[in-house]
Amino acid sequence: MKQQLLDRSENKCELCQSAVSLKLYEVLPQTGKTEDNCIIVCDKCLGQIEKTEELDVKHLNCLRTSMWSAVPGVQVVTWRLLNRLKDESWATDSIDMMYMDDETLTWAKTGAEDESDGVDDVHKDCNGQILEAGNSVVLTKTLDVKGSSLSAKLGTVVKNIRLVEDNTDQIEGKIEGQTIVILTKFVRKQN
């Protein structure tokens, strides 16, 4: 079967078109291996699918092309990855444009229900770097602090941040002695 899939994919990853380190991937759940529910992927895409690597938004831009595949297994994996990237506007737009028959969409949703997005439940800065409690960050925008006359200027360093537990889009930090909540999209991790 692997040779048939390699022929179908022209010896390239069916998601990103890479020709390096190709593997057969069985799209679950399934009742038996068929050409429709198995795909060829590279190591990089496999790491994204199986969540052994952090989501690489730049790499996963390839989904804009793979979403048009006629292969049900490719459609299902593409749909699931796009849903994990739902914070990216291009991914949401791609989901809206995708066409899948009802049976394939049900298959995609069935597998997605079992996925826990543990890798995605992290605080990230504007560049996608993971933030941890105690990190220092730099403001990438001048921010007016609500309920105060304080204005946090672009380039201000906020040291020893705390993570807001139930919201990965927010951190807490002190600016001029005042503790404020800051949106992670307006900070860059300081190295």
Side-chain angles (χ1 to χ4, degrees):
M1 174 175 310
K2 185 173 182 181
Q3 190 54 52
Q4 291 172 316
L5 296 179
L6 285 168
D7 292 343
R8 175 182 79 194
S9 68
E10 298 174 352
N11 294 316
K12 294 179 184 170
C13 174
E14 293 186 88
L15 297 177
C16 74
Q17 302 301 304
S18 170
V20 181
S21 301
L22 300 176
K23 302 204 171 18
L24 182 133
Y25 176 73
E26 297 177 34
V27 185
L28 299 175
Q30 59 179 259
T31 53
K33 276 188 186 179
T34 68
E35 285 185 39
D36 283 345
N37 61 23
C38 293
I39 64 174
I40 296 294
V41 294
C42 67
D43 279 341
K44 179 74 174 175
C45 287
L46 185 62
Q48 304 294 297
I49 295 166
E50 295 185 336
K51 298 182 181 181
T52 56
E53 291 183 23
E54 194 68 34
L55 279 178
D56 183 341
V57 177
K58 197 177 282 186
H59 179 79
L60 291 176
N61 263 300
C62 65
L63 299 175
R64 294 180 189 203
T65 305
S66 67
M67 67 186 259
W68 303 112
S69 173
V71 178
V74 175
Q75 292 174 354
V76 167
V77 170
T78 299
W79 186 89
R80 289 175 183 169
L81 286 169
L82 286 170
N83 272 283
R84 287 176 47 208
L85 291 166
K86 59 188 170 275
D87 292 339
E88 301 290 327
S89 60
W90 65 266
T92 306
D93 293 343
S94 297
I95 291 169
D96 292 341
M97 286 189 285
M98 264 186 97
Y99 173 77
M100 296 180 357
D101 61 46
D102 292 340
E103 186 178 325
T104 306
L105 183 58
T106 301
W107 176 23
K109 288 180 178 178
T110 300
E113 289 170 359
D114 301 334
E115 292 188 4
S116 66
D117 287 342
V119 174
D120 293 339
D121 291 340
V122 294
H123 290 70
K124 294 182 184 177
D125 71 0
C126 64
N127 295 324
Q129 289 192 334
I130 296 175
L131 297 173
E132 296 173 355
N135 285 154
S136 294
V137 296
V138 178
L139 298 181
T140 59
K141 178 181 179 180
T142 298
L143 304 173
D144 293 323
V145 179
K146 290 182 181 176
S148 134
S149 61
L150 179 65
S151 179
K153 302 286 183 216
L154 167 80
T156 300
V157 175
V158 181
K159 295 180 180 180
N160 199 23
I161 63 167
R162 286 190 308 260
L163 307 179
V164 174
E165 275 188 42
D166 298 331
N167 190 340
T168 57
D169 294 331
Q170 297 178 343
I171 58 171
E172 291 180 347
K174 282 192 176 190
I175 296 180
E176 295 181 19
Q178 185 174 348
T179 300
I180 63 168
V181 174
I182 307 166
L183 295 177
T184 55
K185 66 182 179 182
F186 298 132
V187 300
R188 176 178 44 82
K189 185 175 181 179
Q190 189 178 44
N191 294 330

